[in-house]
Amino acid sequence: MSRRVPLGSTAADLDAAIAAFVGELGDVAVVTDGDALLEFRDPYTYRESDEFDASAMVMPTSTEQVQAVVRIANEHGVPLWTFSQGRNNTYGGPAPRLRGCVLVNLRAMNRVLEIEQELAYAVVEPGVRWFDLFDALQDAGGGLWPSIPDLGWGSVVGNSLEYGIGYMPHGDHASHVCGMEVVLPDGSLLRTGMGAISGAKAWHVYPHGFGPSVEGLFKQSSLGIVTRLGVWLMPRPECYASCWVRVSGYEQLAEVVDVLRSLMLDRIVENHPMITRGLEVDADGNPYLDPMSETWHGRFALYGSADLIDAYHRVVEARLAHIDGAEVGRRNFDGDDGDGPSNHDERVQRGIPDMDFLDERLLPYGPRTGHLDFSPVGRCLGREVVELQKLVRSLYEKAGHPHVGGICLAPRSALCITTTFYDTTNQAQTERVYAAYSEMVREVARHGYVPYRTNLQNMDVVADQLDFGDHALRRLHEAIKDALDPKGVMAPGKQGVWPAGRRDR
Ligand code: ADP
């Protein structure tokens, strides 16, 4: 494979930067071999496509090395693209938006730096996976539970920065980040919030700071590389109850959403309920996809003492009782039940990571399967959730693509996650799926909806929809980008934000 030189740089720039990276990190930590880099392609784009190939990869092991990498990138005008684990596959995995970027792979920075039992938080480096955080918390006595996403192989930092979700009370991961250390685009180091003072005491406990808060600037962002992050955790409750409600049809779905919203706003249900359609399990416990299914499987949890959970569940049952055909149930677990529950739905609401979810994602075409998630954010009102479901369904039908989905609820918002599957070795099919996705983005935008994150192919398309005030948000993003990253070396094109030098590409 020939070396990919990033647009706006020359082969000489790249060679000089690579020599400097080797000088700083050693040659084992710098990968330039084309075959080795194949593993770091966008896993769900057409298998043979080189559209998002990197030119090289560096693997720093310390904050100082990350700073050195960024300084070298500036010196030689070579852009970087960072990942922590690079497992967020439906959004590009480890691959860069701009072909030829040098990957900054942070997997080797994988220490859990601190576990604070009394204040219920941990501090992690970017390479720490959900599995690692869980293990560290168990080793520390199991008195704290993390909120986790469906797959345990991703990183706490990457997922939280991307607004990833989990299904515990602190499942809005980005909102439970507190205190970051960030390498800025000029290579200097920033500590956010109360971390701005040397010897800070309240860095990971107080979410604001003195003056304007800047932490949001580093989420879904091309303005820095996060090298350390505080994350809030949940003290182990006495008991945990995994609850479910199953209904058929849109009318019933709307009622379930309204009841769950009332339970969340009343703080009876404190986690993030998930309602799925099209993901089924047969009598032997094997998962299968049924895109035509009209059945909605709702899952949520209760936490607290046994008495409290019984009382809460009586309220839950009473509010769901009037819904036609609703099946309601629960399973109770002691908080200190060592092994915990045995199935994924029950484990993920208890903070125990696994990889089970991947099995059903590979069902259609085995290891060749790609899937695209199209996930607009709506309001947590039954009638509007159903309207959005019907709209999205009509768009998939128009494109002729079957889909399955889930609705992740918060007290006020509803994330409408939908997934279609394809064979990544089939170029025509893969390209059709991405083209239909772009059209879906444009169509839901006409109704006032925007996806909460997106794949590399569609970052510009989504950003283009944010048109209020003649694209006021884009202008602000670009002004900040140009001020902090004048050479445009950090993640060019991330979320549709391009640096001045590459804006007219
Ligand atoms: P995961 O850990 O879930 O596998 P990734 O490592 O792929 O997630 O990260 C997802 C995205 O988040 C990356 O594409 C990148 O844009 C951003 N990101 C990840 N880690 C960092 C970091 N340490 N600093 C800044 N941005 C990051």
Side-chain angles (χ1 to χ4, degrees):
M1 196 177 85
S2 64
R3 182 173 295 173
R4 311 286 174 206
V5 177
L7 187 83
S9 311
T10 65
D13 295 334
L14 187 58
D15 288 341
I18 287 170
F21 291 141
V22 171
E24 198 67 47
L25 310 187
D27 54 5
V28 179
V30 181
V31 178
T32 53
D33 174 61
D35 289 337
L37 289 172
L38 286 179
E39 194 192 319
F40 299 91
R41 275 187 163 170
D42 177 345
Y44 290 166
T45 200
Y46 169 52
R47 250 327 133 78
E48 303 300 322
S49 166
D50 65 357
E51 192 181 352
F52 303 110
D53 279 6
S55 56
M57 180 168 76
V58 296
M59 298 181 283
T61 54
S62 67
T63 297
E64 293 72 25
Q65 286 195 347
V66 174
Q67 290 181 271
V69 164
V70 173
R71 289 198 186 104
I72 292 168
N74 271 287
E75 199 176 318
H76 300 286
V78 169
L80 307 170
W81 182 272
T82 302
F83 67 87
S84 288
Q85 276 293 328
R87 306 292 187 188
N88 98 78
N89 283 352
T90 194
Y91 302 112
R97 168 68 186 88
L98 177 72
R99 178 169 44 200
C101 281
V102 173
L103 295 176
V104 182
N105 172 343
L106 299 175
R107 287 182 189 168
M109 289 177 69
N110 60 357
R111 290 175 303 164
V112 176
L113 298 170
E114 187 185 348
I115 293 175
E116 168 49 70
Q117 298 281 353
E118 287 172 294
L119 296 169
Y121 72 80
V123 183
V124 297
E125 289 188 327
V128 170
R129 303 167 309 156
W130 299 102
F131 285 125
D132 305 322
L133 178 60
F134 176 79
D135 288 347
L137 293 172
Q138 286 301 107
D139 291 347
L144 295 173
W145 290 2
S147 170
I148 55 166
D150 281 300
L151 294 169
W153 64 352
S155 69
V156 177
V157 169
N159 180 277
S160 303
L161 294 181
E162 288 291 291
Y163 310 135
I165 43 167
Y167 310 99
M168 312 273 288
H170 42 316
D172 176 357
H173 294 159
S175 298
H176 291 86
V177 162
C178 188
M180 295 177 183
E181 180 181 82
V182 190
V183 175
L184 295 175
D186 64 357
S188 62
L189 196 62
L190 172 81
R191 290 185 168 182
T192 63
M194 290 304 170
I197 188 168
S198 306
K201 286 272 195 286
W203 187 12
H204 300 298
V205 294
Y206 181 73
H208 315 296
F210 187 74
S213 173
V214 297
E215 233 162 62
L217 287 179
F218 305 106
K219 296 174 184 167
Q220 284 200 0
S221 152
S222 59
L223 299 174
I225 298 179
V226 174
T227 50
R228 169 182 173 137
L229 180 126
V231 50
W232 286 353
L233 306 163
M234 170 180 176
R236 177 178 59 207
E238 194 180 304
C239 297
Y240 149 57
S242 169
C243 309
W244 65 90
V245 51
R246 196 166 26 240
V247 294
S248 229
Y250 281 126
E251 208 176 300
Q252 290 74 7
L253 169 65
E255 291 182 273
V256 168
V257 168
D258 287 334
V259 168
L260 289 174
R261 184 192 63 250
S262 75
L263 291 167
M264 285 186 283
L265 286 172
D266 289 345
R267 294 180 168 264
I268 290 169
V269 169
E270 292 201 276
N271 79 327
H272 290 268
M274 184 72 169
I275 307 173
T276 60
R277 186 195 65 79
L279 306 167
E280 304 286 343
V281 179
D282 70 17
D284 298 326
N286 300 314
Y288 67 99
L289 299 178
D290 181 7
M292 299 312 289
S293 171
E294 300 289 342
T295 303
W296 300 92
H297 301 267
R299 155 193 103 191
F300 55 99
L302 301 171
Y303 307 91
S305 67
D307 289 351
L308 207 55
I309 286 184
D310 283 342
Y312 280 164
H313 200 255
R314 278 196 294 278
V315 181
V316 168
E317 281 182 314
R319 292 196 193 172
L320 289 170
H322 71 276
I323 303 177
D324 190 26
E327 295 170 50
V328 182
R330 71 162 159 162
R331 253 155 66 93
N332 287 351
F333 301 92
D334 284 342
D336 59 3
D337 172 355
D339 295 333
S342 58
N343 77 49
H344 173 77
D345 281 340
E346 292 172 343
R347 278 197 298 263
V348 81
Q349 299 182 113
R350 151 73 167 84
I352 306 176
D354 62 38
M355 291 298 290
D356 295 6
F357 199 65
L358 201 59
D359 296 345
E360 67 205 25
R361 306 270 125 181
L362 295 177
L363 284 172
Y365 305 98
R368 305 192 315 273
T369 309
H371 68 84
L372 265 200
D373 280 14
F374 174 69
S375 306
V377 186
R379 302 202 296 174
C380 191
L381 295 169
R383 60 182 182 281
E384 291 192 14
V385 166
V386 166
E387 268 170 32
L388 184 53
Q389 290 294 324
K390 287 183 177 170
L391 172 63
V392 170
R393 184 176 196 147
S394 72
L395 299 176
Y396 275 112
E397 277 169 5
K398 192 169 150 203
H401 300 149
H403 77 288
V404 299
I407 308 162
C408 184
L409 301 183
R412 294 171 185 80
S413 62
L415 194 54
C416 169
I417 302 167
T418 63
T419 305
T420 191
F421 299 89
Y422 53 95
D423 178 350
T424 53
T425 63
N426 181 332
Q427 185 171 10
Q429 187 192 19
T430 304
E431 287 176 358
R432 268 200 310 275
V433 166
Y434 279 99
Y437 185 107
S438 308
E439 195 40 47
M440 286 164 64
V441 170
R442 293 189 190 96
E443 189 54 38
V444 298
R446 283 179 203 119
H447 291 78
Y449 296 110
V450 185
Y452 82 113
R453 62 209 280 206
T454 198
N455 46 71
L456 300 173
Q457 284 84 342
N458 281 283
M459 286 181 178
D460 291 334
V461 180
V462 174
D464 282 348
Q465 311 310 310
L466 309 178
D467 62 347
F468 176 80
D470 193 18
H471 299 271
L473 187 63
R474 166 177 286 162
R475 284 201 305 282
L476 180 68
H477 282 158
E478 290 178 349
I480 298 172
K481 179 75 178 160
D482 292 345
L484 293 189
D485 186 10
K487 295 246 175 106
V489 296
M490 207 157 277
K494 167 98 181 136
Q495 309 310 107
V497 180
W498 292 90
R502 292 186 169 85
R503 207 163 283 155
D504 296 326
R505 74 204 178 285

